[in-house]
Amino acid sequence: MDTVKRPRYASYAGAGCPVEASLELFSGKGKGMILYHLLEGTLRFNELKRRVGNMTQRMLTKQLRELESFDLIHREIYPEIPPKVEYSLTETGRTLEPILLALKDWGEQHALPKLLK
Amino acid sequence: MDTVKRPRYASYAGAGCPVEASLELFSGKGKGMILYHLLEGTLRFNELKRRVGNMTQRMLTKQLRELESFDLIHREIYPEIPPKVEYSLTETGRTLEPILLALKDWGEQHALPKLLK
DNA sequence: CAGTATCCTCGACGATACTG
DNA sequence: CAGTATCGTCGAGGATACTG
């Protein structure tokens, strides 16, 4: 099983940089998208998977676990058959909303055009 | 006989997602920090290197080149001896200011505490 | 000063198969 | 449905040495 990647360096100088620290938490593969979709509300695993596009199940699970460990999302398990698991933003996660929306706006104006060039 | 090599996934999942697109541009190793420091003004290579902490020269160069290719920073070369190269934000780069400041604030309030826990 | 050039490790990630 | 488990590759990125 893959382990969560911690700061590579015991004390990497960026460790003290709050900008890097923020990015460290939600810039992993697909995390931005996951958080963004969860702004709309609670979603089940497969709903999320559909919205997130072609991300492997393995990766989605991994990213979700990391976000959960950072207390940005909450995972609610319903002990039913078939299984049902719902993901939602935590209070802390919701504080990211303005940033996520800003990233979305900026992306539409600047990032997407450059990437699709 | 040799097996055919398959191309890696050409596009990341969520290619159309503007949030991911934004993160794609400046979430690379150290890019956030670089951009943040350049908010203060033009910096020479070694000044940047000092502020960015212990990032290898190789990595710094690479990140700078990428940011340049995205037109977020400008590289001004002075043909002198010893060499002098100055980095600054482009117009587009400067549009990131509110986001970078938001990331910094959020990082101080939420990210750093969690990472240092 | 501001970079290249090389070499090498190691872990992120995709693919696939299996399960409660 | 919502995951694990296992395997293999590939490339990010560190270390080091050299240079106009």
Side-chain angles (χ1 to χ4, degrees):
Chain A
M1 177 158 58
D2 294 349
T3 45
V4 173
K5 204 140 191 227
R6 256 334 116 142
R8 285 184 188 323
Y9 270 114
S11 74
Y12 105 95
C17 176
V19 177
E20 281 297 304
S22 297
L23 291 173
E24 185 107 352
L25 294 199
F26 60 89
S27 76
K29 233 193 121 67
K31 289 203 183 76
M33 243 187 310
I34 293 171
L35 292 169
Y36 180 73
H37 286 300
L38 288 178
L39 282 179
E40 296 168 21
T42 298
L43 289 174
R44 295 183 60 168
F45 185 82
N46 273 355
E47 291 175 322
L48 210 39
K49 186 155 163 29
R50 234 170 289 121
R51 296 184 195 227
V52 143
N54 53 10
M55 190 176 182
T56 63
Q57 192 170 33
R58 185 182 172 285
M59 253 300 116
L60 180 55
T61 301
K62 194 190 158 208
Q63 300 302 317
L64 287 169
R65 291 294 187 284
E66 289 182 15
L67 290 170
E68 193 191 359
S69 82
F70 294 144
D71 190 40
L72 294 179
I73 65 173
H74 171 70
R75 180 167 175 252
E76 184 74 29
I77 307 165
Y78 297 87
E80 308 171 354
I81 290 188
K84 174 176 170 183
V85 179
E86 288 187 339
Y87 292 92
S88 55
L89 294 180
T90 58
E91 272 305 311
T92 306
R94 240 171 273 121
T95 64
L96 279 174
E97 178 157 13
I99 292 180
L100 291 168
L101 294 178
L103 285 172
K104 180 189 150 249
D105 288 345
W106 193 88
E108 284 165 352
Q109 291 174 53
H110 302 98
L112 280 179
K114 285 184 208 304
L115 287 177
L116 300 180
K117 177 210 96 181
Chain B
M1 301 315 166
D2 287 11
T3 50
V4 176
K5 272 198 185 173
R6 325 171 74 147
R8 233 175 173 224
Y9 247 150
S11 67
Y12 58 99
C17 177
V19 178
E20 282 297 304
S22 297
L23 291 173
E24 186 105 352
L25 294 199
F26 60 88
S27 77
K29 235 198 119 73
K31 289 203 183 76
M33 241 188 311
I34 292 171
L35 292 169
Y36 180 73
H37 286 301
L38 288 178
L39 282 179
E40 296 168 22
T42 297
L43 290 174
R44 297 183 58 170
F45 185 82
N46 273 355
E47 290 175 321
L48 209 40
K49 186 155 163 28
R50 232 170 290 120
R51 297 185 194 226
V52 143
N54 52 10
M55 190 175 182
T56 62
Q57 193 170 31
R58 186 181 171 285
M59 253 301 114
L60 180 55
T61 302
K62 194 188 157 212
Q63 299 303 318
L64 287 169
R65 290 294 187 285
E66 289 182 16
L67 290 170
E68 193 190 359
S69 81
F70 294 144
D71 190 38
L72 294 179
I73 65 173
H74 172 69
R75 180 165 175 253
E76 184 75 27
I77 307 165
Y78 298 86
E80 309 171 352
I81 291 189
K84 174 175 169 183
V85 179
E86 287 187 340
Y87 292 92
S88 56
L89 294 180
T90 59
E91 271 305 311
T92 306
R94 239 171 274 122
T95 64
L96 278 174
E97 178 156 12
I99 292 181
L100 292 168
L101 295 179
L103 285 172
K104 179 187 150 252
D105 288 344
W106 194 88
E108 284 166 352
Q109 291 175 53
H110 301 99
L112 281 180
K114 285 184 207 305
L115 286 177
L116 300 180
K117 171 204 105 176

